[in-house]
């Protein structure tokens, strides 16, 4: 099982942590929400929780809680700019369907 960051995403996270002055990486998870069933949780982590599963990608730690891991296993988190919009994009091979707005998904 693994969760990775693209080089662009890792650079963005590293820059943000440096500006913020603290943090160990990024925490990825899922929650029940939206019209398709689940949505992603993404936050900067100041420390790892004892139950976290920790991956490292391009020198940045990715923390995932054990309940979320089956839903995000194999996911690559990218950071993309599309026109005037920019942000993180989840490339999750487990997604079977997602809502029209892209905010929620199911596996």
């Amino acid at each position: 099982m693994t969760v990775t960051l693209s080089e662009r995403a890792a650079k963005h996270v590293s820059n943000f942590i440096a500006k913020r002055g603290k943090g160990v990486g990024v925490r990825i998870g899922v929650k029940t929400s939206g019209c398709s069933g689940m949505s992603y949780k993404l936050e900067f982590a100041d420390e790892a929780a004892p139950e976290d599963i920790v991956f490292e990608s391009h020198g940045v730690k990715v923390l995932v809680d054990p309940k979320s891991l089956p839903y995000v296993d194999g996911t690559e988190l990218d950071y993309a700019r599309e026109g005037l919009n920019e942000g993180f994009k989840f490339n999750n091979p487990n997604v079977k369907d997602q809502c029209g707005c892209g905010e929620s998904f199911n596996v």
Side-chain angles (χ1 to χ4, degrees):
M1 296 192 143
T2 186
V3 178
T4 60
L5 299 175
S6 70
E7 194 171 337
R8 283 185 303 236
K11 186 175 181 180
H12 183 77
V13 171
S14 293
N15 289 342
F16 187 83
I17 288 172
K19 286 180 189 174
R20 196 170 169 245
K22 64 179 181 175
V24 297
V26 65
R27 183 181 315 278
I28 296 173
V30 297
K31 63 182 177 179
T32 303
S33 171
C35 52
S36 289
M38 288 182 270
S39 63
Y40 295 107
K41 297 186 298 184
L42 178 66
E43 62 187 10
F44 292 96
D46 291 335
E47 59 186 39
E51 68 274 7
D52 282 337
I53 299 159
V54 181
F55 302 98
E56 191 161 324
S57 190
H58 300 285
V60 176
K61 289 184 181 175
V62 180
L63 299 92
V64 182
D65 68 89
K67 290 182 181 178
S68 296
L69 187 56
Y71 302 106
V72 297
D73 180 34
T75 296
E76 179 193 52
L77 184 62
D78 193 13
Y79 191 80
R81 286 189 180 180
E82 296 173 0
L84 297 174
N85 299 317
E86 64 181 282
F88 288 104
K89 181 178 179 182
F90 290 84
N91 297 315
N92 185 342
N94 304 304
V95 172
K96 302 291 185 237
D97 192 25
Q98 62 183 9
C99 67
C101 66
E103 292 295 319
S104 65
F105 66 97
N106 66 42
V107 293

